[in-house]
Amino acid sequence: MLKSNSTIDNRFSLMGIVTQLPKRFKSPSGIEHCQFWLEHRSEKIETDLPRQAWLKMLIQVSGNQLIEKTQSITVGSRLLIVGFVTSHKTSKGLNQLVLHAEQIEFID
């Protein structure tokens, strides 16, 4: 069992294509937020066999530093997102993994 420890890191990176227009909102405390869906598709080799990898993940961008970068995000933008993953409860009570962006890079 892992003990709670500040040296344990939660780091995740994902490259993909934006599939829906970003949704922007401000929290009651005045923090700007932006959410969008990023779709990833690739092929990996697992046990010497090709495997298709596909996922769609919700990306959460918060705070003034990164919000500016989201202004040029459109459907079809290719991005590399680096950040941390956490679980959010959906309106239906289901747990959903969300990537909280700490870095956003546009891929040509």
Side-chain angles (χ1 to χ4, degrees):
M1 185 170 145
L2 291 176
K3 292 183 180 181
S4 181
N5 182 327
S6 62
T7 62
I8 297 172
D9 200 9
N10 174 351
R11 197 102 175 117
F12 190 85
S13 65
L14 184 65
M15 189 180 298
I17 296 174
V18 176
T19 61
Q20 294 176 3
L21 284 175
K23 177 183 165 189
R24 299 171 195 292
F25 57 97
K26 196 178 272 195
S27 70
S29 61
I31 296 172
E32 302 247 3
H33 299 280
C34 176
Q35 289 182 338
F36 56 90
W37 288 93
L38 194 70
E39 182 176 326
H40 169 88
R41 290 180 186 270
S42 63
E43 185 175 286
K44 300 294 180 190
I45 302 298
E46 183 177 42
T47 63
D48 296 326
L49 296 170
R51 178 181 178 121
Q52 296 296 315
W54 176 84
L55 67 95
K56 204 171 185 182
M57 183 173 266
L58 185 61
I59 308 298
Q60 170 87 30
V61 182
S62 301
N64 295 335
Q65 288 182 325
L66 284 180
I67 286 295
E68 272 188 41
K69 261 196 167 174
T70 67
Q71 297 303 323
S72 24
I73 294 175
T74 60
V75 173
S77 293
R78 292 186 50 190
L79 303 175
L80 169 64
I81 307 292
V82 179
F84 63 93
V85 178
T86 188
S87 180
H88 288 204
K89 274 227 192 283
T90 68
S91 58
K92 295 180 181 177
L94 302 172
N95 285 320
Q96 175 181 55
L97 284 180
V98 177
L99 175 54
H100 286 254
E102 294 175 319
Q103 291 175 266
I104 301 172
E105 287 183 37
F106 287 82
I107 308 299
D108 295 333

